[in-house]
Amino acid sequence: MAKNIPQLRQWLVKRGQSTITVEAGASPAPAAVTVPSAATNRILGRWLVGCSGLVVGAVVLGGVTRLTESGLSMVDWHLVREMKPPQTQAEWEAEFSKYQQFPEFKIMNHDMTLSEFKFIFFMEWGHRMWGRLVGLAYVLPTIYFWRKGYFNRSMKGKVLGLCGFVFFQGLLGWYMVKSGLEEKPESYDIPRVSQYRLSAHLGSALLLYCASLWTGLTLLRPAHKVQCFLRFAKGTGGLVFLTALSGAFVAGLDAGLVYNSFPKMGERWVPDDLLAFSPALKNFFENPTTVQFDHRILAISSLTAITGLYLFSRRMVLPRRARMAINLLTTMAYAQVALGISTLLLYVPTPLAATHQSGSVALLSLAIWVLAELRKMPK
């Protein structure tokens, strides 16, 4: 019996080791669940910056759609069904027949041919499909990253907000288009969408873009502390955003086609019809002269603020990336003003106008980059 004791002890040790191994293999492995880290933050940052790039594409394509007067060619809105454009001659004729029932055809395009209709249809169809691509780029990765555990509590709220904003943007786009499809028997003006809804649609797109780019940059770039003029930079960024938003009113009212001179408006610095509407507040949103005047003032103010930011930065010790961002912002600001003046003097040619609209997003992007580099300064 005494001889068997060592063997029994050895068997128990082996049995215990085997039991531990089995239990370790059978137990759920919480370590396998991914948690937010520097690596996952880089992935999320690149994803959100990429999404912001797609939003820029939607803004640019929307601007070109408006400049080519294509936005009212699709008179219905269906989330899935309209993803397939007309294929046969009969389908195209049926779509064209629906378009002919609305004011834009009756007042402006009553002599339009089917081939001309196809062009404006595909412009609007492309814009809507791009919008759906933007939605998928936000929603599908959000589901994947959520399941992988890449989001902390704060990021979960942010991405849900961004995805919700994408859906809101799509609904707002259709709400805008509907305003241009309404019959207005008492009016003989050219059918166009409401400048209020157009501005809201552009403004929400810019907010989505800013939020995505800012969140992405903060994930990609660790915060650093620097003594700087962050408050001034924030004010300048807000002014750039407001200037871009005022451009939507210019586009909505075709205000770029009045007073095609610079720096004066006609023969005056302040035109006579600046406050022609009553009440006075109405001029700032519905009077093309006032809307163009406001856009000029805001653009000049933005250029002045950015120039001041640049001159101020020359007297400060800043990180290399922050200085580079400010230099690019200043260069883009002067280029954007030159584009705006050229667009005005040449009576708004479509290629130049589209470049100017794209420049506003580029300028806003650089302003956000500046803020990202200067964030979290010490109290």
Side-chain angles (χ1 to χ4, degrees):
M1 181 67 179
K3 294 180 180 180
N4 293 332
I5 290 176
Q7 296 177 355
L8 179 61
R9 184 180 300 153
Q10 186 177 8
W11 179 83
L12 288 172
V13 169
K14 289 182 179 180
R15 177 66 183 269
Q17 290 176 343
S18 176
T19 303
I20 293 171
T21 303
V22 171
E23 289 177 352
S27 63
V33 178
T34 305
V35 295
S37 64
T40 60
N41 282 347
R42 282 195 298 271
I43 294 172
L44 297 178
R46 290 167 183 164
W47 163 56
L48 289 175
V49 170
C51 286
S52 71
L54 289 175
V55 176
V56 170
V59 171
V60 173
L61 188 55
V64 175
T65 301
R66 194 208 63 79
L67 288 167
T68 55
E69 298 181 342
S70 306
L72 300 178
S73 58
M74 296 180 68
V75 298
D76 295 318
W77 190 87
H78 301 284
L79 183 61
V80 177
R81 195 168 68 189
E82 72 179 19
M83 294 178 69
K84 181 182 177 182
Q87 302 292 314
T88 65
Q89 182 70 13
E91 289 177 348
W92 274 113
E93 289 177 354
E95 194 69 37
F96 190 28
S97 178
K98 287 194 293 185
Y99 173 70
Q100 291 172 343
Q101 300 172 25
F102 289 87
E104 185 175 70
F105 177 83
K106 295 176 182 178
I107 297 175
M108 286 180 55
N109 298 332
H110 49 83
D111 56 350
M112 175 177 278
T113 64
L114 181 59
S115 60
E116 292 171 334
F117 170 72
K118 287 181 180 181
F119 170 77
I120 64 171
F121 181 93
F122 274 121
M123 288 296 300
E124 173 65 7
W125 181 82
H127 181 49
R128 294 192 186 189
M129 293 307 103
W130 191 276
R132 284 162 174 75
L133 175 63
V134 171
L136 291 175
Y138 277 92
V139 173
L140 295 182
T142 293
I143 296 172
Y144 174 77
F145 293 142
W146 195 298
R147 292 175 63 88
K148 294 285 287 184
Y150 282 19
F151 298 137
N152 57 26
R153 185 174 181 179
S154 174
M155 275 301 298
K156 285 179 179 179
K158 290 176 182 178
V159 296
L160 286 176
L162 291 173
C163 290
F165 214 79
V166 171
F167 284 109
F168 170 75
Q169 175 70 357
L171 294 174
L172 189 57
W174 173 239
Y175 180 65
M176 176 192 70
V177 170
K178 281 185 67 177
S179 67
L181 300 175
E182 296 170 354
E183 294 278 358
K184 300 175 182 177
E186 72 285 355
S187 174
Y188 295 95
D189 289 342
I190 295 173
R192 57 166 65 96
V193 299
S194 164
Q195 69 271 25
Y196 297 102
R197 299 186 192 183
L198 175 61
S199 300
H201 187 52
L202 175 62
S204 63
L206 293 177
L207 285 174
L208 176 64
Y209 169 69
C210 292
S212 302
L213 182 60
W214 175 259
T215 306
L217 288 177
T218 54
L219 288 169
L220 288 172
R221 289 287 297 165
H224 54 72
K225 293 184 177 181
V226 56
Q227 287 286 351
C228 64
F229 41 100
L230 183 58
R231 189 171 299 175
F232 183 25
K234 285 180 177 179
T236 301
L239 194 56
V240 170
F241 180 87
L242 189 60
T243 305
L245 190 58
S246 73
F249 282 92
V250 174
L253 291 172
D254 288 329
L257 297 175
V258 299
Y259 293 106
N260 295 90
S261 58
F262 189 87
K264 292 184 177 181
M265 298 180 71
E267 299 298 323
R268 296 175 175 272
W269 290 102
V270 180
D272 292 334
D273 55 341
L274 190 67
L275 297 176
F277 294 3
S278 181
L281 184 62
K282 189 177 182 181
N283 290 277
F284 294 94
F285 306 103
E286 299 185 15
N287 185 340
T289 298
T290 313
V291 167
Q292 189 195 117
F293 182 81
D294 291 345
H295 190 60
R296 290 185 183 214
I297 296 299
L298 285 169
I300 294 170
S301 299
S302 295
L303 182 65
T304 303
I306 291 171
T307 302
L309 192 72
Y310 171 79
L311 294 175
F312 197 4
S313 72
R314 298 298 91 191
R315 306 163 68 180
M316 303 190 66
V317 178
L318 296 174
R320 183 182 64 85
R321 288 175 62 94
R323 192 171 296 280
M324 181 191 306
I326 292 172
N327 291 342
L328 289 174
L329 174 67
T330 306
T331 302
M332 187 64 217
Y334 279 89
Q336 177 68 352
V337 169
L339 279 170
I341 294 172
S342 301
T343 302
L344 185 70
L345 296 179
L346 296 174
Y347 290 85
V348 198
T350 298
L352 199 57
T355 304
H356 180 56
Q357 290 180 352
S358 304
S360 67
V361 182
L363 189 64
L364 185 59
S365 305
L366 291 170
I368 294 172
W369 184 27
V370 169
L371 291 175
E373 294 298 330
L374 300 178
R375 71 188 188 278
K376 291 191 177 179
M377 62 179 291
K379 301 293 183 182

